Each structure stands twice: as structure tokens, then as C-alpha cells.
Amino acid sequence: YETPLSYVRSGSTIWLLSSRNTRWWTNFTPASDAGAGGPDAGAPVEVMAAGARLRGRARTIQHDRERLLASLRQFLTALPRDAVIYGIGLDGERRPRESELAKALDRIAMVEIALDT
């Protein structure tokens, strides 16, 4: 399947942000990839990023709220245009408002892809 999404890349990690309502991200929950090397190994994926086809292992990070919050902050700081999609306002420096980030955690899903090196 191909699903066009905004993404943020930092080194060998790519993050994908989505609304929980979309449900595509449930393919990468720990229970769904337990047979592929353990519950934290992630599901094998191939992504197209910056014109390059990359392979890695994807998993959600819903279970770790601190990590989810930090990833959401990093994602929306890199792509502030996406904040409005998730009902998060921006401050005067176009950074996501801290007071709104934590409130959004129950509405969003974050998939983290560890790229093969």
C-alpha cells in the first residue's frame, strides 16, 4: 500500500504523524509485529523520502507518552504547517504551543521508522 504523509527525518529515524482516527498506523503496534523479531522490533517497511526508496522497521510509540510528546514537539517544530491539522496552535516563533501538545496526545498516532543502515 502507498500512503502519502508528511514526515520528519533525523539521521536514521523517520517519524510519521497521523490522527488516531485513520487507523492505518495500527499495522505497526507492538502486538502486530511480535512475530517479526519481538514486540519492539517493528514491522518491515519501505518508504520514499526525499526521492529515495528506504527500508526500515516501523512501530508506534503510543505506549511511551514522554517519547510521544517529545516526538510530536520535534515533528511540529520541523513542520509547523501540520500543527493546525491536529488542533495545535503555534506561538509567535511558529513553534507548537506547549500547553496544547500534551492535550493532543490522545488524538494523534506517531509511527517511528528505524532505517536500515
mmCIF file of all heavy atoms in Angstrom, residues 10-40:
data_model
loop_
_atom_site.group_PDB
_atom_site.id
_atom_site.type_symbol
_atom_site.label_atom_id
_atom_site.label_comp_id
_atom_site.label_asym_id
_atom_site.label_seq_id
_atom_site.Cartn_x
_atom_site.Cartn_y
_atom_site.Cartn_z
ATOM 1 N N SER A 10 15.415 12.506 11.051
ATOM 2 C CA SER A 10 16.578 12.911 11.824
ATOM 3 C C SER A 10 17.538 11.729 11.817
ATOM 4 O O SER A 10 17.249 10.698 12.443
ATOM 5 C CB SER A 10 16.186 13.287 13.253
ATOM 6 O OG SER A 10 17.339 13.631 14.000
ATOM 7 N N GLY A 11 18.613 11.839 11.080
ATOM 8 C CA GLY A 11 19.577 10.744 10.973
ATOM 9 C C GLY A 11 18.940 9.513 10.388
ATOM 10 O O GLY A 11 18.386 9.542 9.294
ATOM 11 N N SER A 12 18.963 8.413 11.133
ATOM 12 C CA SER A 12 18.424 7.150 10.636
ATOM 13 C C SER A 12 17.015 6.875 11.162
ATOM 14 O O SER A 12 16.567 5.732 11.177
ATOM 15 C CB SER A 12 19.361 5.999 11.001
ATOM 16 O OG SER A 12 19.455 5.884 12.404
ATOM 17 N N THR A 13 16.308 7.944 11.578
ATOM 18 C CA THR A 13 14.942 7.799 12.078
ATOM 19 C C THR A 13 14.001 8.699 11.284
ATOM 20 O O THR A 13 14.323 9.847 11.009
ATOM 21 C CB THR A 13 14.854 8.175 13.570
ATOM 22 O OG1 THR A 13 15.763 7.352 14.305
ATOM 23 C CG2 THR A 13 13.453 7.965 14.115
ATOM 24 N N ILE A 14 12.863 8.146 10.928
ATOM 25 C CA ILE A 14 11.791 8.908 10.272
ATOM 26 C C ILE A 14 10.554 8.791 11.149
ATOM 27 O O ILE A 14 10.239 7.708 11.642
ATOM 28 C CB ILE A 14 11.490 8.371 8.857
ATOM 29 C CG1 ILE A 14 12.659 8.678 7.925
ATOM 30 C CG2 ILE A 14 10.186 8.959 8.313
ATOM 31 C CD1 ILE A 14 12.473 8.151 6.515
ATOM 32 N N TRP A 15 9.869 9.923 11.352
ATOM 33 C CA TRP A 15 8.613 9.928 12.101
ATOM 34 C C TRP A 15 7.476 10.272 11.151
ATOM 35 O O TRP A 15 7.583 11.170 10.315
ATOM 36 C CB TRP A 15 8.635 10.951 13.228
ATOM 37 C CG TRP A 15 9.532 10.577 14.343
ATOM 38 C CD1 TRP A 15 9.268 9.720 15.380
ATOM 39 C CD2 TRP A 15 10.851 11.045 14.558
ATOM 40 N NE1 TRP A 15 10.342 9.633 16.214
ATOM 41 C CE2 TRP A 15 11.340 10.432 15.727
ATOM 42 C CE3 TRP A 15 11.702 11.920 13.864
ATOM 43 C CZ2 TRP A 15 12.609 10.651 16.226
ATOM 44 C CZ3 TRP A 15 12.969 12.146 14.364
ATOM 45 C CH2 TRP A 15 13.406 11.518 15.526
ATOM 46 N N LEU A 16 6.366 9.569 11.327
ATOM 47 C CA LEU A 16 5.128 9.815 10.597
ATOM 48 C C LEU A 16 4.050 10.124 11.619
ATOM 49 O O LEU A 16 3.884 9.396 12.594
ATOM 50 C CB LEU A 16 4.728 8.575 9.790
ATOM 51 C CG LEU A 16 5.775 8.014 8.841
ATOM 52 C CD1 LEU A 16 5.332 6.670 8.310
ATOM 53 C CD2 LEU A 16 6.049 8.986 7.714
ATOM 54 N N LEU A 17 3.323 11.192 11.401
ATOM 55 C CA LEU A 17 2.278 11.628 12.322
ATOM 56 C C LEU A 17 0.927 11.478 11.650
ATOM 57 O O LEU A 17 0.779 11.775 10.459
ATOM 58 C CB LEU A 17 2.525 13.092 12.706
ATOM 59 C CG LEU A 17 1.540 13.747 13.661
ATOM 60 C CD1 LEU A 17 1.511 13.018 14.995
ATOM 61 C CD2 LEU A 17 1.901 15.205 13.851
ATOM 62 N N SER A 18 -0.045 11.028 12.424
ATOM 63 C CA SER A 18 -1.375 10.823 11.883
ATOM 64 C C SER A 18 -2.411 11.000 12.984
ATOM 65 O O SER A 18 -2.093 10.925 14.172
ATOM 66 C CB SER A 18 -1.478 9.409 11.310
ATOM 67 O OG SER A 18 -2.738 9.180 10.732
ATOM 68 N N SER A 19 -3.636 11.182 12.579
ATOM 69 C CA SER A 19 -4.749 11.160 13.508
ATOM 70 C C SER A 19 -5.012 9.709 13.895
ATOM 71 O O SER A 19 -4.876 8.804 13.060
ATOM 72 C CB SER A 19 -5.995 11.748 12.844
ATOM 73 O OG SER A 19 -7.137 11.433 13.583
ATOM 74 N N ARG A 20 -5.394 9.466 15.119
ATOM 75 C CA ARG A 20 -5.738 8.103 15.536
ATOM 76 C C ARG A 20 -6.928 7.571 14.752
ATOM 77 O O ARG A 20 -7.086 6.369 14.600
ATOM 78 C CB ARG A 20 -6.050 8.056 17.025
ATOM 79 C CG ARG A 20 -4.824 8.064 17.864
ATOM 80 C CD ARG A 20 -5.183 7.688 19.277
ATOM 81 N NE ARG A 20 -3.990 7.725 20.092
ATOM 82 C CZ ARG A 20 -3.805 6.961 21.130
ATOM 83 N NH1 ARG A 20 -4.730 6.113 21.499
ATOM 84 N NH2 ARG A 20 -2.705 7.046 21.830
ATOM 85 N N ASN A 21 -7.769 8.459 14.254
ATOM 86 C CA ASN A 21 -8.963 8.038 13.522
ATOM 87 C C ASN A 21 -8.645 7.320 12.220
ATOM 88 O O ASN A 21 -9.485 6.599 11.705
ATOM 89 C CB ASN A 21 -9.863 9.236 13.231
ATOM 90 C CG ASN A 21 -10.421 9.839 14.493
ATOM 91 O OD1 ASN A 21 -10.538 9.189 15.520
ATOM 92 N ND2 ASN A 21 -10.750 11.118 14.429
ATOM 93 N N THR A 22 -7.465 7.529 11.660
ATOM 94 C CA THR A 22 -7.155 6.933 10.357
ATOM 95 C C THR A 22 -6.935 5.435 10.428
ATOM 96 O O THR A 22 -7.155 4.736 9.470
ATOM 97 C CB THR A 22 -5.911 7.587 9.735
ATOM 98 O OG1 THR A 22 -4.791 7.342 10.577
ATOM 99 C CG2 THR A 22 -6.129 9.065 9.499
ATOM 100 N N ARG A 23 -6.430 4.949 11.532
ATOM 101 C CA ARG A 23 -6.249 3.528 11.844
ATOM 102 C C ARG A 23 -5.161 2.811 11.041
ATOM 103 O O ARG A 23 -4.828 1.682 11.341
ATOM 104 C CB ARG A 23 -7.563 2.759 11.732
ATOM 105 C CG ARG A 23 -8.722 3.370 12.495
ATOM 106 C CD ARG A 23 -8.574 3.390 13.958
ATOM 107 N NE ARG A 23 -8.507 2.045 14.501
ATOM 108 C CZ ARG A 23 -8.076 1.744 15.704
ATOM 109 N NH1 ARG A 23 -7.670 2.685 16.496
ATOM 110 N NH2 ARG A 23 -8.041 0.522 16.129
ATOM 111 N N TRP A 24 -4.582 3.381 9.981
ATOM 112 C CA TRP A 24 -3.524 2.697 9.224
ATOM 113 C C TRP A 24 -2.326 2.391 10.120
ATOM 114 O O TRP A 24 -1.647 1.388 9.951
ATOM 115 C CB TRP A 24 -3.068 3.509 8.009
ATOM 116 C CG TRP A 24 -2.355 4.779 8.381
ATOM 117 C CD1 TRP A 24 -2.931 6.007 8.557
ATOM 118 C CD2 TRP A 24 -0.965 4.935 8.686
ATOM 119 N NE1 TRP A 24 -1.976 6.915 8.947
ATOM 120 C CE2 TRP A 24 -0.756 6.284 9.028
ATOM 121 C CE3 TRP A 24 0.129 4.068 8.697
ATOM 122 C CZ2 TRP A 24 0.484 6.788 9.379
ATOM 123 C CZ3 TRP A 24 1.372 4.570 9.051
ATOM 124 C CH2 TRP A 24 1.534 5.921 9.382
ATOM 125 N N TRP A 25 -2.087 3.251 11.079
ATOM 126 C CA TRP A 25 -0.932 3.130 11.958
ATOM 127 C C TRP A 25 -1.003 1.912 12.873
ATOM 128 O O TRP A 25 -0.005 1.469 13.408
ATOM 129 C CB TRP A 25 -0.771 4.409 12.790
ATOM 130 C CG TRP A 25 -1.997 4.718 13.598
ATOM 131 C CD1 TRP A 25 -3.078 5.450 13.200
ATOM 132 C CD2 TRP A 25 -2.283 4.270 14.920
ATOM 133 N NE1 TRP A 25 -4.024 5.489 14.209
ATOM 134 C CE2 TRP A 25 -3.546 4.769 15.273
ATOM 135 C CE3 TRP A 25 -1.581 3.503 15.852
ATOM 136 C CZ2 TRP A 25 -4.138 4.518 16.510
ATOM 137 C CZ3 TRP A 25 -2.174 3.249 17.085
ATOM 138 C CH2 TRP A 25 -3.439 3.760 17.389
ATOM 139 N N THR A 26 -2.202 1.325 13.038
ATOM 140 C CA THR A 26 -2.328 0.157 13.906
ATOM 141 C C THR A 26 -1.570 -1.048 13.342
ATOM 142 O O THR A 26 -1.330 -2.018 14.066
ATOM 143 C CB THR A 26 -3.799 -0.214 14.158
ATOM 144 O OG1 THR A 26 -4.429 -0.518 12.910
ATOM 145 C CG2 THR A 26 -4.535 0.925 14.848
ATOM 146 N N ASN A 27 -1.188 -0.997 12.084
ATOM 147 C CA ASN A 27 -0.368 -2.053 11.500
ATOM 148 C C ASN A 27 1.006 -2.130 12.163
ATOM 149 O O ASN A 27 1.723 -3.115 11.982
ATOM 150 C CB ASN A 27 -0.187 -1.829 9.996
ATOM 151 C CG ASN A 27 -1.478 -1.993 9.247
ATOM 152 O OD1 ASN A 27 -2.174 -2.980 9.406
ATOM 153 N ND2 ASN A 27 -1.815 -1.008 8.443
ATOM 154 N N PHE A 28 1.380 -1.083 12.892
ATOM 155 C CA PHE A 28 2.722 -1.004 13.459
ATOM 156 C C PHE A 28 2.724 -1.014 14.985
ATOM 157 O O PHE A 28 3.709 -0.632 15.601
ATOM 158 C CB PHE A 28 3.426 0.251 12.935
ATOM 159 C CG PHE A 28 3.378 0.314 11.438
ATOM 160 C CD1 PHE A 28 2.586 1.249 10.793
ATOM 161 C CD2 PHE A 28 4.100 -0.586 10.681
ATOM 162 C CE1 PHE A 28 2.525 1.288 9.411
ATOM 163 C CE2 PHE A 28 4.037 -0.557 9.292
ATOM 164 C CZ PHE A 28 3.249 0.381 8.658
ATOM 165 N N THR A 29 1.628 -1.470 15.582
ATOM 166 C CA THR A 29 1.587 -1.569 17.040
ATOM 167 C C THR A 29 2.380 -2.799 17.463
ATOM 168 O O THR A 29 2.519 -3.756 16.695
ATOM 169 C CB THR A 29 0.139 -1.671 17.558
ATOM 170 O OG1 THR A 29 -0.468 -2.807 16.965
ATOM 171 C CG2 THR A 29 -0.648 -0.415 17.249
ATOM 172 N N PRO A 30 2.930 -2.815 18.669
ATOM 173 C CA PRO A 30 3.753 -3.953 19.098
ATOM 174 C C PRO A 30 3.089 -5.312 18.931
ATOM 175 O O PRO A 30 3.742 -6.259 18.538
ATOM 176 C CB PRO A 30 4.044 -3.633 20.565
ATOM 177 C CG PRO A 30 4.060 -2.144 20.603
ATOM 178 C CD PRO A 30 2.959 -1.729 19.656
ATOM 179 N N ALA A 31 1.802 -5.435 19.161
ATOM 180 C CA ALA A 31 1.144 -6.743 19.018
ATOM 181 C C ALA A 31 1.185 -7.234 17.581
ATOM 182 O O ALA A 31 1.294 -8.419 17.323
ATOM 183 C CB ALA A 31 -0.299 -6.656 19.505
ATOM 184 N N SER A 32 1.135 -6.327 16.601
ATOM 185 C CA SER A 32 1.096 -6.745 15.206
ATOM 186 C C SER A 32 2.454 -7.169 14.682
ATOM 187 O O SER A 32 2.547 -7.853 13.685
ATOM 188 C CB SER A 32 0.525 -5.626 14.326
ATOM 189 O OG SER A 32 1.429 -4.540 14.262
ATOM 190 N N ASP A 33 3.539 -6.768 15.346
ATOM 191 C CA ASP A 33 4.850 -7.136 14.832
ATOM 192 C C ASP A 33 5.593 -8.084 15.767
ATOM 193 O O ASP A 33 6.785 -8.284 15.634
ATOM 194 C CB ASP A 33 5.699 -5.900 14.518
ATOM 195 C CG ASP A 33 5.945 -5.025 15.717
ATOM 196 O OD1 ASP A 33 5.009 -4.775 16.474
ATOM 197 O OD2 ASP A 33 7.068 -4.570 15.875
ATOM 198 N N ALA A 34 4.873 -8.715 16.704
ATOM 199 C CA ALA A 34 5.522 -9.597 17.671
ATOM 200 C C ALA A 34 6.203 -10.781 16.998
ATOM 201 O O ALA A 34 7.216 -11.266 17.479
ATOM 202 C CB ALA A 34 4.502 -10.085 18.697
ATOM 203 N N GLY A 35 5.694 -11.223 15.866
ATOM 204 C CA GLY A 35 6.306 -12.354 15.185
ATOM 205 C C GLY A 35 7.472 -11.969 14.308
ATOM 206 O O GLY A 35 8.101 -12.822 13.695
ATOM 207 N N ALA A 36 7.795 -10.702 14.222
ATOM 208 C CA ALA A 36 8.847 -10.240 13.317
ATOM 209 C C ALA A 36 10.089 -9.816 14.079
ATOM 210 O O ALA A 36 10.686 -8.796 13.780
ATOM 211 C CB ALA A 36 8.305 -9.087 12.466
ATOM 212 N N GLY A 37 10.457 -10.598 15.084
ATOM 213 C CA GLY A 37 11.675 -10.269 15.807
ATOM 214 C C GLY A 37 11.429 -9.724 17.190
ATOM 215 O O GLY A 37 12.306 -9.146 17.789
ATOM 216 N N GLY A 38 10.226 -9.869 17.702
ATOM 217 C CA GLY A 38 9.923 -9.377 19.040
ATOM 218 C C GLY A 38 9.030 -8.173 19.001
ATOM 219 O O GLY A 38 8.887 -7.515 17.973
ATOM 220 N N PRO A 39 8.393 -7.849 20.126
ATOM 221 C CA PRO A 39 7.406 -6.773 20.161
ATOM 222 C C PRO A 39 7.979 -5.392 19.900
ATOM 223 O O PRO A 39 7.255 -4.503 19.500
ATOM 224 C CB PRO A 39 6.804 -6.875 21.558
ATOM 225 C CG PRO A 39 7.811 -7.625 22.348
ATOM 226 C CD PRO A 39 8.527 -8.526 21.393
ATOM 227 N N ASP A 40 9.279 -5.187 20.092
ATOM 228 C CA ASP A 40 9.846 -3.869 19.860
ATOM 229 C C ASP A 40 10.623 -3.773 18.550
ATOM 230 O O ASP A 40 11.173 -2.728 18.232
ATOM 231 C CB ASP A 40 10.767 -3.472 21.022
ATOM 232 C CG ASP A 40 9.972 -3.202 22.291
ATOM 233 O OD1 ASP A 40 8.828 -2.732 22.171
ATOM 234 O OD2 ASP A 40 10.496 -3.468 23.380
#
